[in-house]
Amino acid sequence: MKKTSVFQNSLIWFGAGVSIAEILTGTYFAPLGMAKGFAAILLGHLIGCTMMFFAGLIGGRTGLSAMETSKLSFGKKGSLWFAALNVLQLVGWTAIMIYDGALAANGIAGVGAWLWCLVIGALILVWILIGLTDLGRINQVVMVLLFVLTLVMCKVIFFGGNGIMTAQDDSLSFGAAVELAVAMPLSWLPLISDYTREAEKPFAATLASTVTYGVVSCWMYLIGMGAAIYTGQSDIAQILLQAGLGVVGLLIVVFSTVTTTFLDAWSAGISAESLSGKLSGKTVAIVTTLVGVAGAILFPMDDITDFLYFIGSVFAPMIAIQIADFFLLKRADSLGEAVDITNAVIWVIGFVLYRILMRIDIPVGNTLPDMVVTILICMIVRNVLKSKK
């Protein structure tokens, strides 16, 4: 298998970070003001990207895909539950990203959102057919283009001189804002190993991937927050139009959507392969894209809050158990089992705890406390079981 370089992995996650969904999420931080909002963005990404790093390092060191690594903790059959949920959430993300991208593109060039869904879907299919390791120079050109265009966007928002400042209010707590910042890197937890497993230098590639994604994602959140504060607009398409960035804005919208959504569709294929050896990853990725296009055309997807919390409640305790097993307990006993009942029960506790913590306003959000408690439970239970042998 052709291995990916540190630079290639960085490019992949640069593309993942440049996203309309992340810019839109950033607009929600406006009620906190720039200083407090930026602090919440940084803290949330520090938490989320740290967990993302450990998840990616497991795949990098074992050479296993994200869902294959779950077998180390949950058993050969137990891991299928997470693989199936991961495929479902990736199909959902594919549809959401296409929907958001098409809506924004149609706001700039109103030819019909459904048509933009088809255009974005077609470009994602091109990315899939080329393949991850062969994207090479195409990906580099697109990344340079996106980098320049986002710089232009920053100039328009922060140095446009329109003089609008929205007032701060109490509609968003600091803890809730931190959780919104954690949400995006958390959504990549069950995917990152799909890419770090093919890295020439696992540690360096994983570190470069998470740092690159973290910095770029913070940047996208900051653009969204700045847009809402300094222009009084939360509609990115309208901001770009008012700034006279019609074509430039359209390029940002379309290509940022393609480079991010490609990862979702590609990982859906990889996760499907862990469900059955008869499934072709590339074929499933193509089907995922087609289903995503259909979903984006047929269903409204404006509020994804519940979807984000669902992802957190499923995958935060899952990766917490994997981190405890791989790095702290250094065990992979579950590989010889169909289902690791102990870890399955701990995961259920972590899942329920996450849903309870959602109702409590904690300054650091609810993902970090949930993962810390889940790791502690895992450590205590394993040590107790070990002492009884």
Side-chain angles (χ1 to χ4, degrees), residues 177-357:
V178 170
E179 193 59 31
L180 275 177
V182 174
M184 287 299 177
L186 188 69
S187 71
W188 293 112
L189 282 182
L191 283 73
I192 185 170
S193 286
D194 295 343
Y195 307 97
T196 55
R197 67 170 180 158
E198 298 179 359
E200 290 173 345
K201 300 175 181 177
F203 182 88
T206 304
L207 183 62
S209 297
T210 49
V211 170
T212 300
Y213 173 77
V215 170
V216 175
S217 181
C218 285
W219 183 13
M220 293 302 105
Y221 271 66
L222 188 60
I223 288 175
M225 181 172 65
I229 291 174
Y230 292 117
T231 71
Q233 276 277 5
S234 58
D235 186 335
I236 300 302
Q238 290 306 309
I239 293 167
L240 294 170
L241 279 176
Q242 288 174 16
L245 294 175
V247 175
V248 172
L250 193 60
L251 289 172
I252 292 174
V253 168
V254 171
F255 282 106
S256 65
T257 302
V258 170
T259 56
T260 305
T261 314
F262 158 74
L263 297 182
D264 293 318
W266 188 264
S267 280
I270 295 171
S271 290
E273 286 179 342
S274 65
L275 285 170
S276 172
K278 296 179 181 179
L279 293 172
S280 161
K282 185 169 280 192
T283 301
V284 173
I286 291 169
V287 172
T288 298
T289 303
L290 296 175
V291 172
V293 169
I297 292 172
L298 297 173
F299 303 107
M301 300 179 187
D302 298 301
D303 185 359
I304 62 168
T305 307
D306 291 338
F307 180 68
L308 288 174
Y309 279 128
F310 168 75
I311 292 170
S313 59
V314 169
F315 295 109
M318 182 200 81
I319 201 64
I321 292 168
Q322 288 185 249
I323 289 171
D325 276 353
F326 191 85
F327 294 104
L328 302 175
L329 296 167
K330 301 188 185 301
R331 61 177 293 275
D333 306 346
S334 306
L335 269 177
E337 302 179 34
V339 179
D340 189 311
I341 300 299
T342 302
N343 277 350
V345 171
I346 295 171
W347 175 80
V348 171
I349 294 170
F351 176 87
V352 172
L353 177 62
Y354 187 101
R355 307 303 294 189
I356 293 170
L357 291 173

Side-chain angles (χ1 to χ4, degrees), residues 38-115:
F38 190 50
I41 290 169
L42 287 177
L43 179 58
H45 278 81
L46 180 62
I47 294 168
C49 289
T50 299
M51 301 306 175
M52 188 176 162
F53 169 78
F54 286 118
L57 193 56
I58 295 173
R61 286 184 173 173
T62 60
L64 299 173
S65 69
M67 289 299 103
E68 288 289 321
T69 63
S70 66
K71 291 180 181 179
L72 301 175
S73 292
F74 296 97
K76 294 178 180 178
K77 298 292 184 184
S79 66
L80 297 180
W81 164 250
F82 297 105
L85 287 176
N86 195 38
V87 171
L88 285 175
Q89 72 111 353
L90 290 171
V91 171
W93 266 122
T94 301
I96 289 166
M97 297 301 294
I98 293 172
Y99 177 86
D100 284 343
L103 214 61
N106 196 55
I108 298 170
V111 294
W114 67 272
L115 185 57

